[in-house]
């Protein structure tokens, strides 16, 4: 295979490889590093021996991601405050025409799912990502992980049960999420406490991630009353953000509020919605996790 052809093949599959790596790691920079390492492995491979480039590249990427995940899991143990995955710009609305496929991809990359995936073992996480997000056959996953197919099915069952038990299946209707996001912004910026309360589920949670590098709650805030008062108070004082502006963008498969300070990413707010009300508010303010959003 000529060098130009090998590059074209890799670039054709890059979106899938990045999708696998990010879902495995929850960090854009780490996912990019894994994909780059996969390219180096691919560029040095004997392409004449590769019958299915997509399967080959996914196998390399998954194994590299498992190794990287094992190396970095200790990071979270010393993390200041709650840890959330790094927001990731997606464009499913423009690039995935099939609504059912779009819903599956959006759900599998949502912050709610990625938070739960953090509690899986690296192998369980790999099986869940390959099976649930990308629909790979068990036989292919077994080859990728060098495990028997029955063992892979057991891993898949455990992972699926764990995810189902630890998260509510939220709505992924982008139109509804965008509407509630815009109403949330309006109520917060106008100081409309009653209006905000009508948007929140009674047991709503707010989880903030700053890594100790910006102002954010060091513990989750629970209940509509406490969350609404926190949001109104933060909006009233501008959250310490200078020259703030707002933009609704697609992150992690759904609409999110990107807050800019003097034109640079400062915070991300993303809402989980069920039964027409906001069930959870995620706030990411760690500067390291916002670097990839500079051009969004």
């Amino acid at each position: 295979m000529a060098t130009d052809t090998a590059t074209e093949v890799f670039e054709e599959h890059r979106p899938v490889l990045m999708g696998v790596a990010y879902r495995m790691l929850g960090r854009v920079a780490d996912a990019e590093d894994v994909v780059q390492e996969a390219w180096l492995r691919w560029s040095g491979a004997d392409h004449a021996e590769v019958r299915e480039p997509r399967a080959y590249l996914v196998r390399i990427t998954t194994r590299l991601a498992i190794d990287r995940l094992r190396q970095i899991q200790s990071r979270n143990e010393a993390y200041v405050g709650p840890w959330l995955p790094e927001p990731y710009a997606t464009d499913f609305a423009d690039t995935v025409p099939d609504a059912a496929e779009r819903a599956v991809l959006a759900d599998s990359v949502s912050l709610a799912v990625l938070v739960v995936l953090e509690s899986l073992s690296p192998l369980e996480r790999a099986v869940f990502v390959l099976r649930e997000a990308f629909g790979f056959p068990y036989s292919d996953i077994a080859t990728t992980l060098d495990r028997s197919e029955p063992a892979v099915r057991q891993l898949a069952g455990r992972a699926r049960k764990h995810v189902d038990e630890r998260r509510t299946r939220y709505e992924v209707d982008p139109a509804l999420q965008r509407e509630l996001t815009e109403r949330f912004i309006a109520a917060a910026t106008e100081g409309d406490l009653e209006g905000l309360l009508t948007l929140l589920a009674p047991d709503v949670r707010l989880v903030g991630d700053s890594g100790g590098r910006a102002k954010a709650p060091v513990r989750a805030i629970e209940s509509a009353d406490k969350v609404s008062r926190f949001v109104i108070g933060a909006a009233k004082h501008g959250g310490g953000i200078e020259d703030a502006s707002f933009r609704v963008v697609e992150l992690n498969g759904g609409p999110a509020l990107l807050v800019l300070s003097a034109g640079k990413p400062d915070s991300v707010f993303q809402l989980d919605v069920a039964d027409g009300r906001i069930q959870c508010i995620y706030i990411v303010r760690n500067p390291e996790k916002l670097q990839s959003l500079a051009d969004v």
Side-chain angles (χ1 to χ4, degrees):
M1 185 182 296
T3 301
D4 289 347
T5 303
T7 301
E8 290 171 0
V9 169
F10 188 87
E11 291 303 319
E12 176 187 351
H13 298 297
R14 181 185 288 273
V16 171
L17 305 183
M18 187 64 189
V20 170
Y22 173 74
R23 286 169 175 81
M24 283 290 298
L25 300 168
R27 305 160 180 83
V28 175
D30 286 328
E32 289 174 341
D33 287 347
V34 162
V35 172
Q36 179 61 24
E37 179 63 25
W39 158 248
L40 294 176
R41 301 279 183 95
W42 169 250
S43 62
D46 182 356
H47 300 131
E49 298 296 320
V50 179
R51 291 183 297 175
E52 299 180 9
R54 183 174 186 265
Y56 178 86
L57 289 169
V58 167
R59 182 162 62 252
I60 291 175
T61 300
T62 302
R63 290 178 175 179
L64 289 170
I66 289 173
D67 291 342
R68 177 64 65 94
L69 185 60
R70 287 170 172 158
Q71 293 169 9
I72 65 178
Q73 279 182 328
S74 60
R75 287 183 192 174
N76 294 355
E77 296 177 4
Y79 200 77
V80 178
W83 183 93
L84 292 173
E86 181 178 342
Y88 181 47
T90 53
D91 59 354
F92 298 142
D94 296 326
T95 60
V96 184
D98 182 77
E101 180 183 359
R102 189 163 60 243
V104 170
L105 287 171
D107 184 62
S108 70
V109 81
S110 70
L111 293 186
V113 167
L114 292 176
V115 167
V116 176
L117 294 189
E118 283 294 310
S119 59
L120 298 179
S121 72
L123 285 178
E124 288 172 338
R125 188 163 183 167
V127 172
F128 183 91
V129 168
L130 295 177
R131 181 65 183 174
E132 300 292 333
F134 296 98
F136 280 90
Y138 288 114
S139 57
D140 288 359
I141 300 173
T143 300
T144 295
L145 301 180
D146 195 23
R147 295 291 191 278
S148 69
E149 188 171 331
V152 165
R153 289 180 180 273
Q154 281 191 332
L155 287 167
R158 282 205 305 267
R160 179 75 265 173
K161 181 180 179 182
H162 185 83
V163 172
D164 287 343
E165 288 176 346
R166 297 196 56 174
R167 72 174 288 262
T168 303
R169 184 161 293 279
Y170 297 115
E171 295 168 8
V172 290
D173 179 356
L176 177 59
Q177 284 186 309
R178 187 179 184 94
E179 177 192 348
L180 286 177
T181 299
E182 291 173 346
R183 290 171 61 190
F184 173 84
I185 297 169
T189 55
E190 294 169 9
D192 181 3
L193 181 61
E194 292 302 317
L196 188 57
L197 282 169
T198 65
L199 302 177
L200 304 178
D203 57 350
V204 63
R205 300 177 73 245
L206 183 147
V207 182
D209 175 343
S210 70
R213 303 185 62 186
K215 289 185 177 180
V218 294
R219 295 181 181 84
I221 299 174
E222 300 182 353
S223 86
D225 179 66
K226 291 180 181 179
V227 169
S228 61
R229 293 185 185 281
F230 172 84
V231 170
I232 294 292
K236 181 178 180 180
H237 296 96
I241 302 172
E242 297 182 6
D243 191 18
S245 59
F246 309 91
R247 188 184 305 161
V248 178
V249 297
E250 183 184 311
L251 300 176
N252 294 85
L257 171 63
L258 175 61
V259 182
L260 305 169
S261 175
K264 297 181 179 179
D266 176 272
S267 315
V268 164
F269 286 69
Q270 193 147 33
L271 314 178
D272 276 331
V273 176
D275 300 323
R277 304 185 86 175
I278 299 168
Q279 307 290 328
C280 189
I281 302 170
Y282 296 108
I283 307 175
V284 180
R285 296 204 69 199
N286 185 337
E288 290 185 353
K289 295 187 176 183
L290 302 175
Q291 293 177 3
S292 65
L293 304 181
D295 299 322
V296 172

